[in-house]
Amino acid sequence: MFNWKNVFRGAAMGITELVPGVSASTIAMLLGIYEKLLQAISDLTTGHIKRAFRFLIPLGIGMVAAVALFVKLIEYLLHVHNQPMMFLFAGLVLGILPFLWRSAHAETKHSFKPLHYVLMIGAFVLIAMTNFVGESNQAVMENLSLPDYVYLFFSGWLASTALVLPGISGSLVFLILGVYHTAIASLSTMNIPVIIAIGCGVVLGLLVTSRLVRFFLKTYTQATYSLMIGLVAGSLIVIVPTELPETFLYWLVSLMALLFGLVTALTFGKAER
């Protein structure tokens, strides 16, 4: 039987994938379905197709519907009310860090070693450095040739890591590769060839990356969790706006958005625990 609650979970993941710096896999962890997501994607390549579809079809419906319905709204909010929106997402990301920390210790019953802290700091710095990616080369690609579609395909492949690695945003990967606005415009205008090129890359990338992540989670649990904590913490540097609110009202709204995101994440984290 399909779990139709996954439609709403997929919708939450789909909305976050429209925002550079916010990872859908972070939201999957927040909702308590991260490991089930990895399992279902891996099932597609191990013969358990029906079990995978029971989980992935409602999730996919939610993600696709959310992207189609909210892409223009998210574009508007990020453009007109960027600061409260980003503070909201920052609160969500901040609130999931205690959950990740508890999960790492619960899985192994051991404390982090010095090597794990090195991995954590390295992952933090790696993601934080993406904050210096400029807006150059962000024009919408037009009159596309075959090499352009190949590039979009591999961009989708790289961005698919966002669905399996918390802290890495698919939209941020697109931004780094210079195809973010092309991807968003294709969704807004239903540019089918571009959507297919990127979508095929995402699907193929998911099938490969999910198995690698599951392997590392099982074999090197604490090292993998330390990387995840670093990636998620580093994404805060990317998410928090560089320009702070100018008026008291906007400060108040932004602070309320931050607290709402934080409390929501902490609540879900306790429920998952």
Side-chain angles (χ1 to χ4, degrees):
M1 293 292 292
F2 292 119
N3 184 355
W4 292 110
K5 290 182 180 179
N6 283 342
V7 172
F8 301 102
R9 294 170 178 141
M13 293 171 63
I15 290 172
T16 57
E17 272 306 300
L18 296 171
V19 183
V22 185
S23 169
S25 53
T26 303
I27 301 302
M29 277 197 158
L30 179 65
L31 298 173
I33 60 169
Y34 178 67
E35 293 187 9
K36 293 179 181 178
L37 175 64
L38 293 183
Q39 176 67 56
I41 296 172
S42 296
D43 282 345
L44 293 174
T45 59
T46 56
H48 299 91
I49 305 297
K50 289 184 178 179
R51 184 170 68 184
F53 281 175
R54 282 197 297 268
F55 181 85
L56 292 175
I57 286 179
L59 198 74
I61 290 173
M63 292 187 71
V64 172
V67 169
L69 292 173
F70 292 103
V71 60
K72 292 186 181 294
L73 176 62
I74 294 296
E75 279 187 294
Y76 168 79
L77 290 174
L78 288 175
H79 179 70
V80 180
H81 302 290
N82 179 268
Q83 291 160 335
M85 282 290 291
M86 298 312 287
F87 274 110
L88 170 65
F89 287 116
L92 288 170
V93 172
L94 183 63
I96 201 176
L97 288 173
F99 168 73
L100 283 175
W101 189 274
R102 290 195 304 266
S103 298
H105 289 79
E107 290 286 338
T108 62
K109 309 299 182 183
H110 296 295
S111 300
F112 284 130
K113 297 178 180 178
L115 175 60
H116 299 139
Y117 288 105
V118 171
L119 292 173
M120 200 181 299
I121 294 171
F124 175 89
V125 172
L126 178 65
I127 295 300
M129 286 177 62
T130 63
N131 195 43
F132 299 101
V133 175
E135 288 291 327
S136 60
N137 194 29
Q138 288 299 322
V140 176
M141 299 167 65
E142 298 178 348
N143 301 318
L144 300 177
S145 60
L146 180 59
D148 293 324
Y149 285 109
V150 173
Y151 183 71
L152 289 172
F153 170 82
F154 283 104
S155 297
W157 185 314
L158 291 174
S160 70
T161 58
L163 283 174
V164 291
L165 283 177
I168 301 178
S169 161
S171 294
L172 181 61
V173 173
F174 282 146
L175 194 66
I176 294 171
L177 296 174
V179 300
Y180 173 72
H181 292 287
T182 300
I184 291 295
S186 71
L187 293 172
S188 296
T189 61
M190 292 303 294
N191 188 329
I192 302 301
V194 173
I195 293 174
I196 290 176
I198 295 175
C200 288
V202 169
V203 170
L204 190 57
L206 280 176
L207 295 176
V208 175
T209 311
S210 63
R211 301 193 69 178
L212 287 174
V213 173
R214 286 195 72 218
F215 168 78
F216 282 109
L217 271 174
K218 288 186 175 182
T219 310
Y220 306 102
T221 305
Q222 277 198 305
T224 305
Y225 267 108
S226 64
L227 283 171
M228 288 181 176
I229 292 171
L231 292 173
V232 173
S235 68
L236 281 171
I237 305 299
V238 180
I239 297 171
V240 174
T242 54
E243 295 183 5
L244 297 177
E246 296 180 355
T247 65
F248 174 76
L249 179 60
Y250 233 46
W251 264 111
L252 182 60
V253 172
S254 298
L255 181 59
M256 291 178 62
L258 176 69
L259 292 175
F260 179 79
L262 177 61
V263 171
T264 300
L266 291 175
T267 302
F268 275 103
K270 289 180 180 179
E272 174 60 15
R273 187 181 181 187

